[in-house]
Structure formats: structure tokens, C-alpha cells
Amino acid sequence: MSRPFDICVRGAGIVGRAMALQLAAKRLRIALVDVQPESTPGHSDVRAYALSPASRSLLESLRCWPDAAHATPVKGMEVVGDDGGLLHFEATGQGVAALNWMVDVSALESRLAQAVEFQGLIERVDAPRPAPLTVVCEGRVSASRAAWGLVYDQKPYGQHALATRVRTERPHGEIARQWFNREGSSTEVLALLPLDGPVGSACAVVWSVSPQRAQVLREMEASQFDAALHAASHGTLGMLEVTAERQTWPLQFALAQHWMGAMPAADGALGSAWVLAGDAAHTVHPLAGQGLNLGLGDVHALARALDERAYWRPLSDAKVLRAYERERKTAFALVGNTTDALQRLFDHPHPLVAQVRNWGLRGFDRSAGLKHWVVRQAMGFS
Ligand SMILES: Cc1cc2nc3c(=O)[nH]c(=O)nc-3n(C[C@H](O)[C@H](O)[C@H](O)COP(=O)(O)OP(=O)(O)OC[C@H]3O[C@@H](n4cnc5c(N)ncnc54)[C@H](O)[C@@H]3O)c2cc1C
């Protein structure tokens, strides 16, 4: 008879798979609930994520870091405000080799899926299994969180992110570029993120716009789209040519009120517990590229808390899980609230606010100490 499960992980996205692997590395037996929605043939995620050195180190320890062709170092970053304010960061100025890496989502997903197959302590299952601890990694629309009546405070931004890939006329030079552009009464954020190595001329695009404009941009002719993108990026990388499907996501800020608790009687044995991780616990605007970095931070923190608990405390121990919740809510408060404040500051239509934010960008750009601190937070060194 096989050993009973120690932990049930619900959801096999990037956070769920990384969680299962990291917990299995601590010699725990894991049931991983892996029910993927039916995928449309030929349809794969066009996004590339900006992953921090802290996330890289976790994924490397799991042997899931994609090869160099799918992880481009970001050596510099430029942010252009809506009134000419300019902010730039350089890896060398911060004493590091790269600020972060642009990682192909599908390459990362397949590395994690392969690693799960080879880990004997993980069993993929098609429905939740009883275990002392259940970790919910079901993403922003979590059925378990809803079934247990957990409060998930959501503030929609009234924006959708449109993601795609482009070929650029000029090489990106491993610089991630972002523009805040005024469009009517709101601000659009466009990011061109480097792919394909140092002399690469391919970029991942993330363009946060109103839902109506997202639909128009998604449906327009490719040549029209290229021209709109060229205008919004101020021609910095020359002519642009869209090379992939255009996909959209609604954007929101969201935070679950509680991240841990006792399992409802109908769902688990007396004394068992649940915790939330990844987007099931929190979502942020992608303008700072921090959503998954936060989720992988949850993975690291939960595995460490369980591993370091006193030998007589069970996996469902409320004190251990509360410490995890406290630690991760603090990390989220810093990154999530800063991203939210930035989004709201740049979305404010008043001209005085526009002047202040662009003046702030320039001032911030000249403040080496503050810049260094912010970069280290974004890189996951708190
Ligand atoms: C346009 C865009 C760009 C982004 N860029 C970045 C970036 O540069 N850097 C960064 O760090 N983050 C970025 N993010 C955020 C990142 O996408 C998310 O934070 C990350 O995908 C969350 O992973 P997750 O595993 O928690 O959730 P998901 O990716 O949503 O995975 C959840 C999984 O659970 C499964 N599931 C759902 N319900 C159930 C159920 N009831 N039972 C079993 N399984 C279930 C789903 O099928 C899915 O596989 C970006 C987001 C967007 C929208």
C-alpha cells in the first residue's frame, strides 16, 4: 500500500507545479490536482515573464530554469513618462549581471511539467485528495476559494493587457522599455521586453489599454497594428512587425483576506488545513512584472516554513501557517501596493498630477540610493 498523501496541491499552473516540486524535495508525498482546460490547437501562451534573480534561483534548484534561448537577460530598463519624464536602470550600476530575465511562458511550463513527471513523490490526480494540508494554487478564479466562501477583494483597473510578439527593425540591446502614454482620459502602458539574446530583434509586447481599445487593437489588420505600436513606442526600435497571435487579459488588483484556515468539515478530516498561494491569494497589475515572482516567493516561504517547523508540529499547524501568511502578506504589501499606487498615479487625468509624476520620475532617476533600494526589492532581495 502506498504512503498516504502529506499535501494536496490544487492547480497545476506554474505556481502549483513549482509548489509540488519544492515540497516533494522536502520528502513530502504530494497529490497534484491537474485539470487543464481544453486547449485550442495551435494556441499557446504568447507571454514572456520578467523573472527576478530570486525566482531564477528557486527554479534552478528545481532544475526547471529554461535554456538560454528561452531566458533573455535584461541588462537595462527604460521608463518614459507621459510628459517626457525618463527613468532608467542599468544592471552594471546595481552591481549585478542582469536586472531580471525574460522567460518564455510555454518553455517554463514544459520544464515544470517534465520535472513533475520524473518526481516519484508527486502523483497527478484529477480531483482533490484528503491530506493534512491542502495548498490552493488555482489562480485568480479559484473554485475552492469560492466554495469555501473566502473573501477575495478585487479592484478591476478598467484595463485589459494585450500581449503578443514582434520583430523589431533595431536590436533591443537587452533593454526592457516601457512607455506611459496618455490616450483620452486614461493612461496606456506599453512594454517592449527583449527576447532572443543580446543581438535579438524580437520583443514580447504587453500593452495595457481600455477593454474597448484592446478589442480594436486585437481585431485590426496586422499592418495597422504595427503602425499603432510604432507610434506608441515613439519609433524607438524602428519599424515593428507583429509575429504572433494577439491575446488579452482583464487586469485587476486582488487580495484574499485570509490565506490559511481549518479545512471545512465537508472537505477534509478534522484537524486538516488549507493555505492559498500565487494568484489564488493575490493579483497585481503586470506593469511591474511581479505577479509570478510573488507566487514563487509564496512557494519558497511555505516550503521553508513547513521544513523548519518543530518536529512535533503537524503540517496543518496553525502557528506555522499563520507565520507563512504574515510573511507573504508583508511581501505583497510592499510590491502589490507600490504597483497599484504607480498604476493609479499614472492613470490620473489631472495635468498637475501629470507634472508631479513626471517631475517625480526625473527626481527618482537622479536618486541613486533610492533607485538601488527599489531595484533590490524588485529583484526579490528584501
Ligand atoms: C499580460 C500579463 C503579463 C504578466 N507578466 C508577468 C511578468 O512579467 N512577471 C511576473 O512575475 N508575472 C507576470 N504576470 C502575472 C502571472 O501571469 C501570474 O501571476 C501567474 O501566472 C500566476 O500563476 P498561478 O499558477 O498562481 O495561476 P495560473 O497561472 O492562473 O494557474 C492556475 C492553474 O490552476 C488550474 N485550475 C484552476 N481552477 C482549478 C480547479 N478548480 N482545480 C484544479 N486546477 C484548477 C488552472 O487550469 C491553471 O492551470 C503577468 C500577467 C499578465 C496578465
mmCIF file with all atom_site columns, all heavy atoms in Angstrom, residues 159 261 290:
data_model
loop_
_atom_site.group_PDB
_atom_site.id
_atom_site.type_symbol
_atom_site.label_atom_id
_atom_site.label_alt_id
_atom_site.label_comp_id
_atom_site.label_asym_id
_atom_site.label_entity_id
_atom_site.label_seq_id
_atom_site.pdbx_PDB_ins_code
_atom_site.Cartn_x
_atom_site.Cartn_y
_atom_site.Cartn_z
_atom_site.occupancy
_atom_site.B_iso_or_equiv
_atom_site.pdbx_formal_charge
_atom_site.auth_seq_id
_atom_site.auth_comp_id
_atom_site.auth_asym_id
_atom_site.auth_atom_id
_atom_site.pdbx_PDB_model_num
ATOM 1  N N   . GLN A 1 159 ? -8.923 48.037 -17.350 1.00 0.00 ? 159 GLN A N   1
ATOM 2  C CA  . GLN A 1 159 ? -7.949 47.879 -18.443 1.00 0.00 ? 159 GLN A CA  1
ATOM 3  C C   . GLN A 1 159 ? -7.797 46.411 -18.780 1.00 0.00 ? 159 GLN A C   1
ATOM 4  O O   . GLN A 1 159 ? -8.001 45.549 -17.914 1.00 0.00 ? 159 GLN A O   1
ATOM 5  C CB  . GLN A 1 159 ? -6.571 48.383 -17.992 1.00 0.00 ? 159 GLN A CB  1
ATOM 6  C CG  . GLN A 1 159 ? -6.404 49.876 -18.052 1.00 0.00 ? 159 GLN A CG  1
ATOM 7  C CD  . GLN A 1 159 ? -4.952 50.281 -17.844 1.00 0.00 ? 159 GLN A CD  1
ATOM 8  O OE1 . GLN A 1 159 ? -4.208 49.616 -17.135 1.00 0.00 ? 159 GLN A OE1 1
ATOM 9  N NE2 . GLN A 1 159 ? -4.556 51.383 -18.470 1.00 0.00 ? 159 GLN A NE2 1
ATOM 10 N N   . GLY A 1 261 ? -6.393 28.525 6.911   1.00 0.00 ? 261 GLY A N   1
ATOM 11 C CA  . GLY A 1 261 ? -7.503 28.258 7.822   1.00 0.00 ? 261 GLY A CA  1
ATOM 12 C C   . GLY A 1 261 ? -7.707 26.755 7.975   1.00 0.00 ? 261 GLY A C   1
ATOM 13 O O   . GLY A 1 261 ? -6.990 25.950 7.354   1.00 0.00 ? 261 GLY A O   1
ATOM 14 N N   . GLN A 1 290 ? 5.493  41.523 -11.622 1.00 0.00 ? 290 GLN A N   1
ATOM 15 C CA  . GLN A 1 290 ? 5.795  40.930 -10.310 1.00 0.00 ? 290 GLN A CA  1
ATOM 16 C C   . GLN A 1 290 ? 4.844  39.816 -9.884  1.00 0.00 ? 290 GLN A C   1
ATOM 17 O O   . GLN A 1 290 ? 5.086  39.167 -8.862  1.00 0.00 ? 290 GLN A O   1
ATOM 18 C CB  . GLN A 1 290 ? 5.791  42.025 -9.233  1.00 0.00 ? 290 GLN A CB  1
ATOM 19 C CG  . GLN A 1 290 ? 6.984  42.963 -9.300  1.00 0.00 ? 290 GLN A CG  1
ATOM 20 C CD  . GLN A 1 290 ? 8.296  42.251 -9.019  1.00 0.00 ? 290 GLN A CD  1
ATOM 21 O OE1 . GLN A 1 290 ? 8.336  41.203 -8.391  1.00 0.00 ? 290 GLN A OE1 1
ATOM 22 N NE2 . GLN A 1 290 ? 9.391  42.806 -9.509  1.00 0.00 ? 290 GLN A NE2 1
#
